[in-house]
Amino acid sequence: LWPTRTTTRWAMTLDGGTQIPAGEELVVLGLLPDGRVRVADPIQNVSVPMDPWETDFFVRARQRVGKTDKTIFSYRLLESMLEPSGDRSTVADYDYIVMYDGRDTCSRSIAFAPELAKFQKASSASGAKWLLVLGNAASEPAVNRAHYRNMGLDGRAAKDGWGPMLYEYFQLGGYQTPWFYVYDRDGNQIATAGAASASYFKVLDFLSAKVKE
């Protein structure tokens, strides 16, 4: 029942002077153990815990009661962060979600991304049901998008400015680019690359075996 957005009832001033006005719609990043809700402002790129009663969180949750959409919160949130699909498909329509980000200035990205693009084209021809999500967070949006075009990658990119929120929620990154992750349809991270260059190709082999099952 969690909503992916909530609106503040009162104005807030965060440490450092960042101001969030009353009536601001924020991104919901989940509930914390103490009962507060973690919310984020993608424009100012800040996140903060709030008492849910300081927002319309419960009002929006009640509005979801009885809805037939059974998509898990993680994928409803991810869907809301991505550019619309051209064929009206959603994240929930796929068996696997694959997240990638890299840079033209990263030799590891340049070595791996074309292989990912080749695999994407081959598996698309075979009807494999997986979606490539382009994180749009490794650099400035224009630079990110140029990298995806240069590498021949065709996926759904995070909206400009939303990449950091996507990475914060899914707890991605933490090692040098490229970043490469595989999730199943239940939102479980089932494979990830890392510091070792060979790990990217191992994850790609893992994905290949999965989509052929």
Side-chain angles (χ1 to χ4, degrees):
L1 297 180
W2 290 1
T4 61
R5 302 290 187 275
T6 193
T7 301
T8 57
R9 299 183 187 275
W10 299 282
M12 300 172 54
T13 300
L14 308 181
D15 292 343
T18 300
Q19 295 185 341
I20 299 177
E24 186 86 351
E25 186 174 70
L26 303 175
V27 181
V28 175
L29 297 180
L31 288 174
L32 299 171
D34 63 5
R36 291 182 297 174
V37 61
R38 189 159 62 100
V39 296
D41 182 338
I43 304 302
Q44 302 191 75
N45 194 22
V46 295
S47 61
V48 63
M50 291 185 69
D51 188 316
W53 293 107
E54 297 175 346
T55 74
D56 66 348
F57 180 85
F58 291 123
V59 173
R60 296 199 187 201
R62 285 195 295 269
Q63 291 171 349
R64 289 193 53 80
V65 174
K67 287 196 173 184
T68 58
D69 177 16
K70 302 299 183 184
T71 305
I72 60 173
F73 173 78
S74 292
Y75 282 172
R76 285 191 288 112
L77 180 61
L78 177 60
E79 180 68 35
S80 74
M81 293 179 173
L82 302 180
E83 294 180 338
S85 62
D87 59 3
R88 297 188 177 182
S89 64
T90 69
V91 171
D93 294 328
Y94 293 87
D95 295 329
Y96 300 98
I97 303 299
V98 179
M99 298 188 187
Y100 168 86
D101 218 345
R103 308 169 187 262
D104 277 357
T105 55
C106 168
S107 60
R108 291 161 30 121
S109 299
I110 297 301
F112 174 69
E115 297 303 315
L116 176 59
K118 289 179 185 177
F119 173 75
Q120 183 181 31
K121 290 175 183 175
S123 61
S124 177
S126 69
K129 293 277 289 182
W130 65 277
L131 174 67
L132 179 63
V133 170
L134 303 170
N136 200 4
S139 188
E140 297 299 317
V143 176
N144 293 329
R145 292 177 184 279
H147 172 67
Y148 309 144
R149 290 194 301 270
N150 294 341
M151 297 298 102
L153 296 171
D154 182 20
R156 288 184 63 189
K159 299 171 186 174
D160 287 355
W162 285 75
M165 291 294 101
L166 188 158
Y167 272 70
E168 179 176 347
Y169 177 77
F170 286 97
Q171 298 182 343
L172 306 181
Y175 56 91
Q176 61 181 313
T177 52
W179 299 318
F180 190 46
Y181 306 84
V182 179
Y183 292 80
D184 65 17
R185 65 182 308 107
D186 296 319
N188 301 307
Q189 187 183 107
I190 57 175
T192 179
S197 297
S199 66
Y200 299 93
F201 295 95
K202 288 181 180 178
V203 172
L204 192 58
D205 288 343
F206 173 84
L207 176 63
S208 178
K210 283 292 184 182
V211 299
K212 290 177 182 177
E213 288 180 353

